[in-house]
Amino acid sequence: MKQSKELFGFTCCRWLWTSSGDRASAAVAVTGCARAHLGYGRWELCSFLLARAVLAVKQRVLARSVNANGAAEGNIYLFLCHAKKRGGDTCEYLLSSGRFLGEKVWQPHSCMMHKYKNSEAKNCLIDKHVVFIGDSRIRQLFYSFIKLINPQVKEEGIKHGNIPFEDKSASIKVDFLWYPEVNGSMRQRIKSWTEGSVAKPHIIVVGAATWSIKIHNGSNEALAQYKINITSIAPLLEKLAISSDVYWVLQDPVYEDMLSENRKMITNEKIDAYNEAAVRILNSSSRNSKAKVKVFSVSKLIAQETIMKSADGLHLPESSRDTNAMILMNVYCNKIMKPIDGSCCQPQPPLTLIQKIAFCFFTLSIIGYLIISLIHRNNYRKNKSCTDLESGEEKKPAISTPNISTLEMLLQCFCKLGLIMTYFYLCDRANLFMKENKFYTHSSFFIPIVYILVLGVFYTENTKETKVLNREQTDEWKGWMQLVILIYHISGASTFLPVYMHIRVLVAAYLFQTGYGHFSYFWIKGDFGVYRVCQVLFRLNFLVVVLCIVMDRPYQFYYFVPLVTVWFMIIYATLAVWPQIVQKKANGNCLWHFGLLLKLICLLTCIYFLSYSQGAFEKIFSFWPLSKCFELNGNVYEWWFRWKLDRYVVFHGMLFAFIYLALQKRQMISEGKGDPLFSNRVSNVLLFISIVSFLTYSIWASSCKNKTECNELHPSVSVVQILAFILIRNIPGYVRSVYSSFFAWFGKISLELFICQYHIWLAADTKGILVLIPGYPMFNVLVSTFIFVCVAHEISQITNDLAQIVVPKDNSTLLKRLLCIAGFFSGLHFFSAMQDQSRH
């Protein structure tokens, strides 16, 4: 059986390589192949599979490179010199290169482009003066640009004349100046801005050539004169570029078959000649200048893909003009507005005081661990073999290798964590690795879902116990949900409303398990001690606290962890407050069951009140120190929205646990291996109702037209599909007796996977995709996924090891550790206050 699984895993990897072309499919390939052997402790075989995959891709790359360039070096080696390639200014990439994702989404090379809203454009350009100089093509770009500020603007200006635009609310001036030829008139206008105390525009966009070709019938003399005129203008533009942003727009290609008779002389060959002249002159002139005129050449690439849709063969379709305008906005505004999903033209953020302290701490931990390891290794070598001088025989040491001390384990954990956090920082804060925008297609989401289902079913094993929602089953549930959520995020499927609504159910199911699991523990064990609370809080929050420090993000940014943390405390408070009602006490007197139901009703009433009283909710969480944890962008609205979206599901989980445990205690359900949960008739009826309910919810979610309206209904109806799934999964005896070890392995590290994806699998805080290997999206996601899963697994191990040290069972020791933790957070608050003060 194991040999067949290994063969299947290897075959699966190879098949996915040869058949898949999308990012999400590649991600599933590596996780599937890795899980095929990780579950059996076969890290070596997993690495072998990856190495074979790398070798296969390398051979494909080499073949492609030989065919294209006649050389044996493939672009795969770009990964080794990634930092060198990435060292250039991302603005240059934004202005000169990129590709279309689909038909209308433009993806710049190596960085992400933000889609600016009208309010954002106004905030960026407030008190600014922008000038467009050129012909009718530049006029088109002018209109697309001002529509980003005011979408109501209509193209009603004079065709062959100047067109002013002003937004008085933001004091923005945008002018179009009609200069269809690069001649003395254009030079004189540009020169006027360089003389005296005349106010210079903040942004200048210039471009012209087609009129010169048309008027002079494409003569060589016209081209020669064009070169002379640009040569005279170039120094003036460079002088303006010292204090302003100056862009020279290269001429777009034309669709010659559609050109009218009076434009037939405008050929792509002539346009290329004019562009080459402009680039050569501007580049040669800028070598001796402190400032540089930016060449806007990306418009040519866009036009090559879209000029066929032109109305007259000369002017670009509206979608292409809008893309060019958005690129201009990104070039200028990204460094001002600093949007999360706009990595182009953004400088690397400076290290904060807290980040510097964290760097020093991890560095000292690594040094300390290396010193202790060297000392222990030297001591071990001395005792490894000692020769008896009299007999000449070798004696074995009396003492075996010493156990790792608490200090050494602590330093070892922080050493590994420091290296991992360095990788986090390099991936999503330093400008070392490239980032790309997401682009959703149905195949990029649904095909990987089929892959993971096949892998999950293949790795089916018998459970150790056959109870409803046993440990293996809940791990399996968390695992497949987490994989679906990961595919959902990397494929950008949030834009497809039916998928979004189903993913909302998966998030609700996590919270349902939170209510079910913690209620069951407290109800059965009756353990309300501090140790239990600290263990849970530490395991939930350790990674997020470290990331808040290293990545300079607020706690609420990782919204799911605050959500489950608060709900755990609510569950604890509900059950721990007097009178404490647990199963042992309730078994002696049935009235205690009604007392517990009364507690749950009080909890439901509080939830209902807070969900419809935003003011009361915000007041509670606006008090210090809660405000420091739950504020995002200066308010707690985001926290209220996240909490409200799944406000009832934890209560549903608690109620389900109470009913299930009550039925189990009274032996009203059968949980034997292979036995249906109820009698055959009841089981069949419940199974039929569950399937119908499950499908009904899916039909409703798939018919959603408005996200806001569906989100309003979601808290009340999400439990329908969750309960339907639980019953379908547990009523048949055979189905309840087996589980997928593939999904269960991922379920054990689901929290780490969910958090780590923010920075080392996705990019720009989940807004984009991390690019470790440019040019090969499938191979890139394969490698990044392998690293991502390994890192998440390692962090899970580190968290478990540290939990044993930081949260000991001894109460007196635990109290001392809690005082140390309180001191740590006090210091963190102090440095955070200093940091905020220095920023302001």
Side-chain angles (χ1 to χ4, degrees):
M1 183 62 183
K2 283 187 177 180
Q3 290 179 348
S4 66
K5 286 182 177 180
E6 291 172 5
L7 179 61
F8 174 81
F10 183 72
T11 306
C12 174
C13 247
R14 294 195 63 182
W15 177 68
L16 289 176
W17 271 112
T18 55
S19 64
S20 302
D22 56 83
R23 295 183 174 91
S25 301
V28 173
V30 71
T31 53
C33 293
R35 177 60 191 96
H37 309 285
L38 287 172
Y40 299 94
R42 302 278 184 106
W43 281 90
E44 297 84 359
L45 193 53
C46 176
S47 300
F48 170 73
L49 283 172
L50 181 66
R52 287 294 301 269
V54 170
L55 181 61
V57 172
K58 181 178 176 182
Q59 291 172 347
R60 295 166 91 185
V61 171
L62 289 175
R64 186 187 302 182
S65 182
V66 169
N67 291 337
N69 305 314
E73 290 86 2
N75 287 337
I76 193 65
Y77 295 107
L78 285 175
F79 180 66
L80 301 175
C81 54
H82 205 301
K84 183 176 179 181
K85 183 175 178 64
R86 189 73 175 92
D89 184 5
T90 53
C91 281
E92 294 181 9
Y93 294 131
L94 179 60
L95 290 169
S96 62
S97 59
R99 69 185 190 279
F100 272 105
L101 302 175
E103 294 184 359
K104 295 184 179 180
V105 179
W106 181 254
Q107 171 59 61
H109 175 69
S110 86
C111 61
M112 295 168 58
M113 194 168 74
H114 177 65
K115 190 173 182 179
Y116 277 90
K117 299 176 183 177
N118 308 130
S119 57
E120 293 174 321
K122 286 184 179 181
N123 288 334
C124 169
L125 298 173
I126 191 168
D127 295 326
K128 296 294 188 294
H129 183 202
V130 185
V131 173
F132 289 80
I133 308 174
D135 54 17
S136 56
R137 287 171 150 188
I138 298 296
R139 184 179 66 234
Q140 282 188 314
L141 183 58
F142 158 79
Y143 274 118
S144 293
F145 188 84
I146 61 176
K147 283 179 182 178
L148 293 175
I149 303 169
N150 183 2
Q152 308 303 322
V153 171
K154 296 181 180 180
E155 301 184 21
E156 297 177 343
I158 304 171
K159 284 190 175 182
H160 296 168
N162 300 340
I163 305 172
F165 169 82
E166 184 174 4
D167 188 299
K168 295 182 179 179
S169 63
S171 300
I172 301 172
K173 285 183 65 179
V174 186
D175 293 322
F176 168 72
L177 304 180
W178 173 255
Y179 288 96
E181 288 191 89
V182 180
N183 53 22
S185 300
M186 180 185 285
R187 183 182 184 280
Q188 192 61 36
R189 187 56 187 257
I190 294 172
K191 186 179 179 182
S192 66
W193 289 321
T194 65
E195 295 176 341
S197 58
V198 178
K200 301 176 180 63
H202 298 89
I203 304 173
I204 302 172
V205 182
V206 194
T210 53
W211 269 68
S212 298
I213 299 172
K214 177 183 175 182
I215 292 174
H216 301 285
N217 203 28
S219 66
N220 293 329
E221 292 79 7
L223 177 59
Q225 187 62 45
Y226 183 82
K227 294 177 181 178
I228 294 171
N229 292 338
I230 286 190
T231 304
S232 66
I233 288 176
L236 301 176
L237 294 176
E238 286 157 11
K239 191 174 181 180
L240 286 172
I242 297 173
S243 58
S244 305
D245 280 18
V246 181
Y247 304 93
W248 184 274
V249 181
L250 295 185
Q251 295 301 297
D252 302 328
V254 295
Y255 191 38
E256 296 180 14
D257 294 343
M258 289 187 66
L259 291 174
S260 58
E261 286 300 322
N262 63 339
R263 290 174 176 168
K264 286 293 184 181
M265 69 290 296
I266 306 175
T267 64
N268 287 323
E269 183 181 355
K270 290 292 181 181
I271 286 175
D272 289 342
Y274 276 72
N275 283 337
E276 288 173 11
V279 171
R280 185 173 64 254
I281 293 168
L282 291 172
N283 285 343
S284 62
S285 179
S286 64
R287 289 171 190 167
N288 302 319
S289 175
K290 294 181 180 179
K292 185 177 181 181
V293 177
K294 300 177 179 68
V295 177
F296 193 87
S297 59
V298 70
S299 180
K300 285 176 54 184
L301 298 178
I302 295 171
Q304 287 171 3
E305 300 290 333
T306 60
I307 193 63
M308 293 77 72
K309 299 176 183 178
S310 171
D312 57 8
L314 177 66
H315 298 98
L316 291 179
E318 188 174 1
S319 61
S320 303
R321 294 154 39 194
D322 294 343
T323 300
N324 287 329
M326 192 63 73
I327 291 172
L328 271 177
M329 192 68 74
N330 274 259
V331 172
Y332 186 79
C333 291
N334 281 2
K335 56 182 175 290
I336 299 171
M337 304 299 292
K338 294 182 173 57
I340 293 175
D341 60 341
S343 62
C344 299
C345 298
Q346 276 206 54
Q348 180 177 333
L351 285 172
T352 64
L353 175 62
I354 294 176
Q355 285 175 317
K356 292 175 182 176
I357 294 172
F359 173 77
C360 294
F361 171 78
F362 285 125
T363 303
L364 292 173
S365 298
I366 294 170
I367 294 171
Y369 175 68
L370 292 176
I371 292 172
I372 291 178
S373 297
L374 289 173
I375 293 172
H376 283 181
R377 180 175 292 183
N378 289 333
N379 292 337
Y380 177 68
R381 284 178 178 175
K382 289 178 182 178
N383 296 325
K384 187 175 182 181
S385 61
C386 46
T387 305
D388 190 327
L389 296 177
E390 294 182 359
S391 64
E393 294 178 355
E394 192 177 80
K395 294 182 178 180
K396 292 183 179 180
I399 302 174
S400 60
T401 306
N403 293 326
I404 296 177
S405 64
T406 301
L407 177 61
E408 187 173 358
M409 180 179 285
L410 197 65
L411 290 175
Q412 183 186 54
C413 289
F414 284 129
C415 175
K416 291 190 288 185
L417 189 64
L419 295 174
I420 290 171
M421 288 301 112
T422 301
Y423 179 67
F424 270 77
Y425 185 85
L426 292 176
C427 285
D428 208 22
R429 286 297 172 268
N431 285 335
L432 179 62
F433 295 113
M434 302 178 182
K435 302 174 179 66
E436 288 189 352
N437 294 91
K438 300 176 186 178
F439 178 70
Y440 174 74
T441 60
H442 292 318
S443 61
S444 67
F445 177 77
F446 289 105
I447 291 177
I449 297 297
V450 175
Y451 288 167
I452 66 169
L453 286 176
V454 172
L455 289 169
V457 171
F458 187 82
Y459 292 98
T460 301
E461 299 178 8
N462 292 326
T463 58
K464 294 178 182 178
E465 54 181 349
T466 56
K467 293 181 179 179
V468 173
L469 293 180
N470 56 66
R471 184 58 183 268
E472 288 97 342
Q473 190 182 129
T474 54
D475 283 340
E476 173 202 86
W477 193 6
K478 290 178 183 177
W480 71 256
M481 288 195 302
Q482 185 57 61
L483 291 178
V484 172
I485 290 172
L486 289 175
I487 295 170
Y488 165 81
H489 281 152
I490 200 170
S491 63
S494 59
T495 56
F496 187 47
L497 192 54
V499 171
Y500 166 82
M501 291 307 300
H502 282 87
I503 296 299
R504 288 298 338 150
V505 175
L506 299 190
V507 175
Y510 268 102
L511 295 172
F512 182 92
Q513 287 193 51
T514 297
Y516 171 84
H518 292 307
F519 178 91
S520 299
Y521 178 87
F522 290 128
W523 175 251
I524 296 171
K525 301 284 187 181
D527 177 12
F528 296 98
V530 178
Y531 171 75
R532 167 68 181 178
V533 175
C534 292
Q535 275 278 328
V536 173
L537 292 180
F538 183 86
R539 291 174 187 273
L540 286 177
N541 290 276
F542 171 70
L543 175 58
V544 165
V545 170
V546 174
L547 287 177
C548 288
I549 294 170
V550 173
M551 307 302 288
D552 190 30
R553 282 291 175 263
Y555 179 64
Q556 179 55 34
F557 176 76
Y558 306 93
Y559 74 92
F560 187 74
V561 170
L563 203 56
V564 293
T565 300
V566 168
W567 278 116
F568 167 73
M569 294 306 298
I570 290 173
I571 296 166
Y572 176 80
T574 302
L575 299 177
V577 73
W578 183 89
Q580 288 185 3
I581 305 172
V582 295
Q583 189 178 59
K584 188 176 180 180
K585 182 186 289 188
N587 288 339
N589 190 339
C590 291
L591 291 176
W592 287 117
H593 287 91
F594 293 101
L596 182 61
L597 286 174
L598 187 61
K599 278 189 172 186
L600 293 177
I601 290 171
C602 290
L603 173 61
L604 180 61
T605 304
C606 292
I607 293 171
Y608 182 83
F609 171 74
L610 289 176
S611 64
Y612 288 98
S613 180
Q614 183 179 350
F617 184 93
E618 291 184 351
K619 282 181 181 178
I620 293 172
F621 289 96
S622 294
F623 286 112
W624 187 90
L626 291 178
S627 60
K628 296 293 291 182
C629 296
F630 297 101
E631 281 187 354
L632 192 65
N633 300 323
N635 59 70
V636 296
Y637 173 78
E638 179 70 16
W639 166 235
W640 179 75
F641 171 77
R642 294 289 184 184
W643 178 86
K644 183 183 177 184
L645 201 55
D646 295 297
R647 56 188 178 271
Y648 298 129
V649 74
V650 175
F651 169 81
H652 292 146
M654 296 170 68
L655 186 62
F656 176 82
F658 173 70
I659 295 171
Y660 161 67
L661 293 172
L663 293 175
Q664 186 188 59
K665 191 68 179 176
R666 285 159 179 75
Q667 298 181 347
M668 297 177 68
I669 54 177
S670 175
E671 294 181 305
K673 188 172 184 179
D675 296 335
L677 203 59
F678 305 97
S679 64
N680 288 332
R681 179 176 294 180
V682 174
S683 295
N684 290 335
V685 171
L686 285 177
L687 196 59
F688 175 77
I689 293 172
S690 299
I691 293 172
V692 171
S693 300
F694 191 93
L695 295 176
T696 301
Y697 180 89
S698 292
I699 293 169
W700 171 78
S702 300
S703 62
C704 272
K705 302 299 181 184
N706 186 289
K707 184 181 286 189
T708 304
E709 293 177 2
C710 292
N711 280 341
E712 285 295 321
L713 290 172
H714 167 76
S716 303
V717 300
S718 61
V719 70
V720 172
Q721 195 164 43
I722 294 170
L723 290 176
F725 171 79
I726 293 172
L727 293 177
I728 293 169
R729 182 69 177 82
N730 287 277
I731 286 177
Y734 171 74
V735 177
R736 193 176 65 253
S737 302
V738 296
Y739 80 105
S740 170
S741 58
F742 172 81
F743 291 140
W745 188 87
F746 285 101
K748 292 174 182 176
I749 58 170
S750 59
L751 183 66
E752 288 76 15
L753 288 170
F754 188 86
I755 299 168
C756 290
Q757 67 166 327
Y758 277 69
H759 303 296
I760 63 170
W761 197 52
L762 304 175
D765 300 333
T766 75
K767 303 296 184 182
I769 297 171
L770 178 66
V771 179
L772 297 178
I773 304 173
Y776 299 90
M778 180 178 163
F779 185 44
N780 170 68
V781 177
L782 176 67
V783 173
S784 65
T785 302
F786 182 77
I787 297 171
F788 160 60
V789 173
C790 291
V791 166
H793 182 270
E794 191 62 34
I795 289 176
S796 177
Q797 295 295 323
I798 292 171
T799 304
N800 291 334
D801 292 340
L802 287 176
Q804 297 175 11
I805 300 172
V806 178
V807 189
K809 291 184 177 180
D810 180 64
N811 286 333
S812 60
T813 308
L814 178 58
L815 180 60
K816 293 176 184 177
R817 300 286 165 80
L818 290 177
L819 290 174
C820 291
I821 292 172
F824 166 77
F825 280 107
S826 298
L828 191 63
H829 174 67
F830 173 75
F831 288 121
S832 178
M834 288 180 59
Q835 194 171 281
D836 292 340
Q837 188 175 2
S838 64
R839 283 174 176 173
H840 293 310

